[in-house]
Amino acid sequence: MTKNERMKEQILRTSGVNPLKCMRCGKCSGTCPSYDEMEYHPHQFVYMVETGDIEPLLASKSLYKCLSCFACVDRCPRSVEPAKLVEALRLMVIRQQGANHFKADDIPALVDEEIPQQLLVSALRKYSK
Amino acid sequence: MKVSYFPGCTLKTKAKDLDRYARESAAALGVELAEIEAWQCCGGVFSMATDEIASKLSCVRALADAAKQGQPLVSVCSACHNVLKQTNHAMQTDETFASRVNNYIAPDAPYHGQTKVLHFLELLRDEIGWDAVRAAVKKPLTGKKVGAYYGCLLLRPSKTMAMDDPENPKIIEDFIRAIGAEPVIYPYRNECCGGYVTIEDAALSKKKSMQVLDSAQGAGAELLVTACPLCRYNLDKNGEGKLPVVYFTELLAEALGLKED
Ligand code: SF4
Ligand code: SF4
């Protein structure tokens, strides 16, 4: 098994997604509120995981632009649920030693008086292990 | 009627009005929100990863506590409700996940998602009923044009949340009608405000929040109601005072005559 095949297997297991169900209609990307900010779009995540083109996704800032809004999950006609791949890829990166994208130490510089705890907890859950 | 209540962290700190007016309104409508003992933070977001277990344990403990009392578990915050409901769904449908969780936390009785998880809006609609809400209104908000801001978490993923039609929801509009105000339907009522990504990319959340506010204002809304402290923060911070945003429980308490202006 090549490294790419191993990574693909891990991503499919963590996400529970079957990319072969995708008909490449682009609805997920069309509805994605982060589309303009993403280098790779939800339908590309599906296609690139399927073809084993995984390294560029792991290196992309797109992983941190997903809002977890579940729009692509709900609106995909084939129930592929691309956000689950984005989540699995992001975890593959941040679960490595020292690879947290957001650290508790970053917080004091970023908070204002009104910031809800919910925001900080959510960001820590998404961006660090 | 007595239900188990999961307030959540933010309702104890920055969103006290969401909590306080929920409790007072529920009491006026004959429902006691019994705060469960020793609840812990829901985590704010549900991890979609099937192998993420530790971060879901606090929700299972709360759900199992409600099961022990034989009561539904009610929350008011959209995020808490979303995480509790998705976790409960995973306990019902994912046997591997459920057995690992049960082995680890060893609850008094094995937990398999038996608790009914309700958002406060569902409590109003399904348990109390809009007619009873309407009958309890003392100061109807007549003539007020209110936009419902659903955001993402109340409705999606819709197969799990099962609160309403995810594309054409009406639960908040029905709520607005019940308190005597006029609901304003606008295109972006169930699109994202930018969520937690505001900390990573403030410009992105600014853009998303503005789209929501412009959409609501364009349709004639005078104010927006939300159930989510993060939505409210993003809309307020990015909105440049475009539209006031309040918690739906504030309007409910006002209409029930429980709130001094
Ligand atoms: S919406 Fe679904 S089927 Fe269409 S491209 Fe996206 S993942 Fe594929
Ligand atoms: S969940 Fe993420 S990838 Fe999917 S539509 Fe929302 S922002 Fe885009």
Side-chain angles (χ1 to χ4, degrees):
Chain A
M1 224 186 205
T2 65
K3 186 176 171 217
N4 257 4
E5 285 166 348
R6 276 201 308 277
M7 284 198 295
K8 178 176 169 182
E9 198 182 277
Q10 170 69 45
I11 291 160
L12 297 186
R13 193 167 50 232
T14 299
S15 66
V17 166
N18 176 6
L20 290 173
K21 291 198 294 188
C22 174
M23 60 174 165
R24 296 183 202 158
C25 65
K27 254 191 142 181
C28 50
S29 296
T31 197
C32 177
S34 242
Y35 184 89
D36 291 343
E37 282 73 19
M38 281 180 164
E39 175 188 9
Y40 299 110
H41 304 112
H43 74 284
Q44 289 169 295
F45 273 85
V46 180
Y47 179 69
M48 290 167 75
V49 168
E50 170 52 25
T51 54
D53 195 8
I54 290 165
E55 298 280 359
L57 295 173
L58 293 173
S60 174
K61 288 201 163 39
S62 302
L63 294 180
Y64 311 102
K65 301 291 183 184
C66 170
L67 305 159
S68 301
C69 73
F70 296 102
C72 63
V73 171
D74 240 47
R75 293 171 182 158
C76 167
R78 291 274 174 91
S79 303
V80 177
E81 312 190 324
K84 294 184 174 176
L85 290 178
V86 181
E87 185 109 313
L89 281 146
R90 188 184 339 95
L91 286 171
M92 183 168 260
V93 176
I94 65 173
R95 278 176 177 171
Q96 295 172 88
Q97 199 64 259
N100 282 340
H101 181 69
F102 179 55
K103 302 177 184 72
D105 290 346
D106 298 337
I107 292 176
L110 294 167
V111 295
D112 59 44
E113 265 304 298
E114 302 306 320
I115 214 161
Q117 283 67 17
Q118 178 195 355
L119 194 166
L120 301 172
V121 174
S122 304
L124 281 168
R125 276 281 155 84
K126 288 289 173 177
Y127 296 146
S128 70
K129 60 190 153 286
Chain B
M1 180 187 185
K2 190 171 166 188
V3 297
S4 290
Y5 178 52
F6 184 99
C9 303
T10 308
L11 276 74
K12 292 285 183 185
T13 50
K14 297 291 179 195
K16 286 188 176 140
D17 285 349
L18 186 53
D19 173 63
R20 176 180 150 205
Y21 292 122
R23 288 177 199 257
E24 291 177 7
S25 302
L29 293 165
V31 177
E32 184 192 341
L33 299 182
E35 185 168 332
I36 56 173
E37 275 175 41
W39 57 268
Q40 295 166 303
C41 177
C42 71
V45 278
F46 180 76
S47 175
M48 290 173 257
T50 56
D51 56 4
E52 184 71 25
I53 294 175
S55 60
K56 293 168 183 163
L57 296 176
S58 66
C59 281
V60 179
R61 288 195 180 98
L63 291 159
D65 187 290
K68 212 161 110 183
Q69 313 293 330
Q71 292 169 174
L73 183 58
V74 173
S75 50
V76 198
C77 168
S78 307
C80 293
H81 175 65
N82 185 283
V83 182
L84 287 164
K85 187 117 186 190
Q86 292 211 64
T87 305
N88 207 41
H89 186 256
M91 291 299 286
Q92 289 166 351
T93 55
D94 183 343
E95 191 40 53
T96 312
F97 172 70
S99 67
R100 285 181 179 169
V101 169
N102 276 309
N103 284 340
Y104 185 77
I105 64 174
D108 295 342
Y111 186 74
H112 287 283
Q114 22 325 14
T115 296
K116 189 167 170 188
V117 184
L118 291 175
H119 188 267
F120 193 87
L121 285 162
E122 294 173 305
L123 182 75
L124 292 175
R125 180 189 64 188
D126 304 335
E127 308 292 329
I128 297 169
W130 297 130
D131 287 342
V133 175
R134 206 171 289 117
V137 167
K138 295 205 172 69
K139 293 186 188 168
L141 306 176
T142 314
K144 212 169 224 171
K145 291 188 162 54
V146 184
Y149 183 51
Y150 289 90
C152 313
L153 298 175
L154 282 178
L155 301 169
R156 294 191 291 263
S158 59
K159 269 184 239 149
T160 305
M161 299 311 292
M163 177 189 271
D164 206 343
D165 178 334
E167 301 303 343
N168 295 293
K170 65 186 182 77
I171 187 168
I172 305 183
E173 282 78 8
D174 287 344
F175 163 75
I176 293 167
R177 269 184 220 105
I179 56 169
E182 189 185 320
V184 176
I185 308 278
Y186 61 100
Y188 274 72
R189 66 199 166 119
N190 58 342
E191 298 302 319
C192 186
C193 68
Y196 58 83
V197 178
T198 194
I199 213 143
E200 164 80 9
D201 185 346
L204 169 57
S205 86
K206 171 122 194 156
K207 194 163 87 180
K208 294 295 122 187
S209 296
M210 270 302 183
Q211 279 172 347
V212 172
L213 291 161
D214 284 339
S215 168
Q217 201 176 44
E222 293 164 10
L223 85 161
L224 293 183
V225 285
T226 176
C228 178
L230 179 50
C231 292
R232 180 170 175 167
Y233 172 78
N234 278 335
L235 294 178
D236 276 345
K237 188 175 158 209
N238 296 314
E240 296 160 3
K242 217 174 224 301
L243 278 182
V245 184
V246 300
Y247 295 124
F248 76 100
T249 55
E250 293 179 79
L251 289 194
L252 176 59
E254 197 182 321
L256 295 175
L258 304 169
K259 193 175 171 224
E260 299 299 322
D261 268 319

